[in-house]
Amino acid sequence: FREVSRVGATNVGKLAGDWRDPVEARKCLLKRRLDAECLTFQDLVDQLKMPPGRVEELVAGQEATALELQALAEVLHVRLSDLMVCPLKDEEEVVVTSAAGSRSKARKSRSYVLAPLA
């Protein structure tokens, strides 16, 4: 939570992406990894030795092949699994809201039950 507060709530969404949308999630994940390695788009093109158009598609969130993921992992100095995106299903989504606004809607949801604790 300390890191989230340091970054600021408004920027967390831009950094994390919406994991219900795999294209956006891949785009945000790759941007974070590029920033962490202080790599520019051109640096990535040079190190991957792929056509710039394909690198641009990957940076835009298109799904990579297994070989492309391996190459990205090597350039970004991360594990292959660090680049995997498993989008959230509707039933996996967690929404945090205030109790006042949630109680009337929560009881109508099929995915969970709101139980007052106090």
Side-chain angles (χ1 to χ4, degrees), residues 16-96:
D18 183 349
W19 281 67
R20 295 168 295 184
D21 177 357
V23 172
E24 182 185 343
R26 284 190 292 268
K27 179 179 171 182
C28 290
L29 185 142
L30 194 51
K31 175 158 180 15
R32 280 195 322 274
R33 296 296 181 182
L34 284 169
D35 290 347
E37 289 295 316
C38 299
L39 290 174
T40 65
F41 173 78
Q42 190 57 51
D43 294 333
L44 188 62
V45 170
D46 294 343
Q47 292 186 37
L48 284 176
K49 297 177 179 46
M50 284 182 200
R54 180 58 183 150
V55 177
E56 190 172 338
E57 290 173 354
L58 294 173
V59 170
Q62 294 304 308
E63 192 166 9
T65 65
L67 290 173
E68 290 170 336
L69 277 176
Q70 185 62 46
L72 280 167
E74 289 173 15
V75 167
L76 297 172
H77 303 102
V78 296
R79 297 177 310 226
L80 187 61
S81 61
D82 292 335
L83 298 175
M84 299 289 185
V85 171
C86 298
L88 286 176
K89 298 176 184 169
D90 287 341
E91 62 270 14
E92 295 173 320
E93 182 180 4
V94 175
V95 178
V96 179

